[in-house]
Each structure stands twice: as C-alpha cells, then as structure tokens.
Amino acid sequence: MLIVMQHGATPEQVRRVVQVIEEMGYQARPMPGSQRTAVGLVGNDGRVDGSRLAGLAGVKELIQVTQPYKQVSREWKQESTVVRLPGGLAIGGDEVVVMAGPCSVESEEQILTAARAVREAGAAILRGGAFKPRSSPYSFQGLGLKGLKFLARAREETGLLVVTEAMDPESVGLVAEHADIIQIGARNMQNFPLLKRAGRAGKPVLLKRGIAATITELLLSAEYLLVEGNHDVILCERGIRSFDPSTRNVLDLTAIALVHELSHLPIVADPSHGTGRRDKVIPMARAAVAAGADGVMVEVHPNPEQALSDGAQSLYPEQFTELMRETRVIAEAIRRRVAEPLPVPIGA
Ligand code: PEP
Ligand code: MN
C-alpha cells in the first residue's frame, strides 16, 4: 500500500504516518518527491485495514498495490479450480456446464415438466428457487421446504443435479440436504453471516455477483467462503444495475475474462437476470460462452406466460433446445465442449 501525503504535509505528519504503520506491525518506507511525499507500507499480506492511516493529518490518499483478497487470487493458486460434483460432473474444467430451469419452483408438476424438458435438451443441472428473494413482500415468496422436496424428486427422476438458493443462515442446512449446489443470490452477496454458514455447509456454493458490486467485492465475498474451508466456489456474473433502463441489468461480460485473470475460481454467466428479456437471453448466453464462461445458468419455464416469477425472461423449452445446439458449436470453436447430463438413475 502507498500512502500519498498532501502537498505541503509537514515532516511531523509524515513521521506520524511512519509511526502508525510501525504500530500496525508493518515497515514504512518514506519516499520524498518534488511535489509531495509518499510512504510505502511493506510486509503487507493483503489484509491491511487502511482506515487508520486514511484519517491521519496530511494524508491525501491510499493506493492499494496488492489486492485485498488472498486465497481466491491467482497469485495464491496458479491452476484453475475445478469444482467436482456428484457423478463426475465438473465446473471449471474443459466442459461448459449448463444449468437451466424455472425461476421458482411452483408445483411438483411444473418442476418435473421443466426438468424433463431441460434434460432432454442437454442441460446437466436443474435450477429453481424454493426460497425466493423478491423485491416486493406481496410477490410469490417460493414454496420453501416443499419446493426443495420437489427439486429432490426431479433429481431422482432425471439425474439432473440441483442448484437452489439459500436466503439465510437458517436455511443453509436444509438446502445443503436437498441440493448439490447452494446458491447465494445477488441480494445476499454481502450477507456475511450467510457466507460464513455456507462456507461450512460441505457443499459447493454458487455465488452471484451483487446488483451493484465491484469485481473486488465479489472476490472478497468468495474469500469468506474459502476462509471457512469451502474451496468449491463457483462465481456467477448475473448483470449489474446501470443508468439505462432498456434492459433489467447490464451483463458484464468483461467480468468473465477479468475474473479468470484475477482468480482461479470458475465463473458462470446468468444472461436471464443479466438482460431480463427473453429475446436477449440467447445472444448473451452465446456471448458468455464465447467469452470463456465455465457455464451458463438460464431460466426456462414450460409455460412462461403463467410463471409466478420472471416469466418475461424465461425461455420456452424450444428456444432452450436451440440455445443448447448453438452453445455446443461455440464451445467447440474455443476447444471446449458442453457437459452431458448424467445418466437417468436406474429404476427412475
Ligand atoms: C435467481 O437466480 O433466481 C435469482 C433470484 O437471481 P439473482 O440473485 O441473481 O437476482
Ligand atoms: Mn429469476
């Protein structure tokens, strides 16, 4: 970290900065310049809380030289993390993994119909929320435990693995019991008690980028999971809020390439929440795979007009089948392939 002093800062103020750095257990390297002095803080292990220094008299700004996260960084671990799932499915390797299904689990019949359709088209993982984070308390809130049981049934019948959201620390255990991947939603990306609990749940976690979160913040949230001992973390770019209301969010494709540089963790894209518009989901899903996403998560509903949430961005099953076809071609063009779904369990 570099502490830049104001023009005209006194030698006494510089000395005080040096003293505080040493009190914090680091070494200080004052660098007098023609305009102003800067003080280098060395021995920084990526965990310096600069707030004490920022408030000192004569300090103009702090410049971070190293990243504030550690275990999630490529510097910490060179080789890409491959998250291994039951049945040999893996996220972060050569294969692009497609997760698909409705926004919400609405009934047993709805989730089973959706599961059969997305499996038929070639998805490997079934998505569907049982606990729904809705902007309005009057909107459908999800079926809760009943929804988890329907998902587990769909898994038994189709062989699809299941990803579903846990909204609070209390529901993490239940979600972990019924699902293969615990989803942390965008609104909860910085719910630190939830992250800590999910980090101890013994199941992979899909961490969605917050609605207005920087990439550094996303990686810091992932760091919480790794610090708790969970290394099976999949990041998800799901669009960020912008000034332009033309689409629900702006899918940040650069984040995919950037995260691959900064971190060893896999990253998938969610073009459904990223665009909010059915007709834009397909081109953005294609683009995400081309940009190097390790997977895509897409909302598909057997009957989008009747959906209890996010119908406008949910694909019709036929559209999803077409998207799968295109995704296979794009994956091949970048020397990857789309993961096949696991075999249907015997006796299902
Ligand atoms: C979802 O995936 O159903 C969801 C609510 O997504 P997000 O948290 O990205 O809004
Ligand atoms: Mn949704």
Side-chain angles (χ1 to χ4, degrees):
M1 183 184 283
L2 209 56
I3 295 93
V4 182
M5 303 301 294
Q6 286 163 2
H7 180 71
T10 65
E12 180 49 39
Q13 287 170 338
V14 176
R15 270 197 295 277
R16 179 71 190 130
V17 167
V18 170
Q19 192 184 17
V20 171
I21 290 173
E22 288 171 354
E23 279 170 20
M24 289 165 72
Y26 304 106
Q27 293 133 42
R29 301 264 189 279
M31 294 172 265
S34 56
Q35 294 292 315
R36 54 174 49 107
T37 295
V39 184
L41 182 155
V42 293
N44 175 356
D45 56 3
R47 286 180 293 173
V48 175
D49 174 4
S51 56
R52 235 183 117 186
L53 295 161
L56 293 177
V59 171
K60 179 172 179 278
E61 62 176 331
L62 306 187
I63 299 174
Q64 289 281 356
V65 180
T66 50
Q67 302 293 0
Y69 43 80
K70 207 163 126 176
Q71 296 190 38
V72 301
S73 74
R74 267 271 178 222
E75 284 157 19
W76 181 265
K77 178 172 175 269
Q78 281 285 305
E79 69 281 9
S80 296
T81 289
V82 179
V83 174
R84 306 214 172 264
L85 300 166
L89 199 66
I91 304 183
D94 290 341
E95 295 188 329
V96 174
V97 177
V98 180
M99 314 175 187
C103 179
S104 303
V105 180
E106 299 168 2
S107 68
E108 183 170 21
E109 198 201 332
Q110 174 250 17
I111 195 66
L112 284 174
T113 310
R116 289 176 195 132
V118 301
R119 192 194 182 287
E120 177 70 25
I125 299 181
L126 176 66
R127 63 143 292 142
F131 298 101
K132 292 306 300 176
R134 305 305 302 280
S135 299
S136 163
Y138 305 113
S139 302
F140 176 60
Q141 302 287 308
L143 297 181
L145 178 57
K146 211 157 71 167
L148 294 181
K149 291 194 187 301
F150 294 158
L151 283 166
R153 210 159 292 162
R155 181 187 197 278
E156 271 167 37
E157 189 195 299
T158 60
L160 290 170
L161 300 187
V162 166
V163 56
T164 194
E165 179 161 354
M167 278 213 309
D168 44 48
E170 296 72 45
S171 61
V172 167
L174 271 184
V175 168
E177 248 174 66
H178 292 83
D180 300 287
I181 304 174
I182 303 165
Q183 177 171 323
I184 306 250
R187 290 155 195 81
N188 267 324
M189 189 201 82
Q190 288 187 314
N191 181 337
F192 303 115
L194 176 60
L195 292 172
K196 287 181 187 175
R197 177 67 188 86
R200 296 192 297 269
K203 280 272 163 93
V205 173
L206 178 99
L207 176 65
K208 297 188 92 173
R209 182 178 182 182
I211 286 166
T214 63
I215 291 169
T216 300
E217 287 164 340
L218 171 65
L219 293 174
L220 277 169
S221 289
E223 185 87 12
Y224 268 87
L225 297 161
L226 270 73
V227 163
E228 292 296 332
N230 192 344
H231 295 254
D232 290 329
V233 176
I234 305 143
L235 303 170
C236 179
E237 164 57 42
R238 50 77 74 203
I240 45 176
R241 185 161 285 181
S242 97
F243 54 86
D244 188 342
S246 312
T247 53
R248 183 174 177 183
N249 289 298
V250 172
L251 187 69
D252 180 7
L253 290 178
T254 314
I256 294 166
L258 203 53
V259 162
H260 278 317
E261 178 195 326
L262 299 173
S263 175
H264 52 84
L265 295 175
I267 180 163
V268 303
D270 169 356
S272 304
H273 295 89
T275 63
R277 292 167 54 162
R278 181 180 302 127
D279 61 330
K280 301 295 174 272
V281 171
I282 292 179
M284 295 318 283
R286 292 192 301 237
V289 173
D294 297 296
V296 284
M297 174 184 260
V298 183
E299 287 184 342
V300 182
H301 195 288
N303 191 353
E305 296 98 84
Q306 311 250 298
L308 297 181
S309 61
D310 286 349
Q313 68 192 31
S314 298
L315 298 186
Y316 289 92
E318 312 79 72
Q319 288 181 299
F320 179 64
T321 303
E322 180 55 24
L323 173 60
M324 286 301 299
R325 249 197 296 276
E326 295 171 351
T327 303
R328 288 189 190 102
V329 176
I330 294 168
E332 250 173 60
I334 54 168
R335 292 177 301 282
R336 295 183 91 168
R337 56 185 186 276
V338 174
E340 293 291 331
L342 302 178
V344 176
I346 296 159

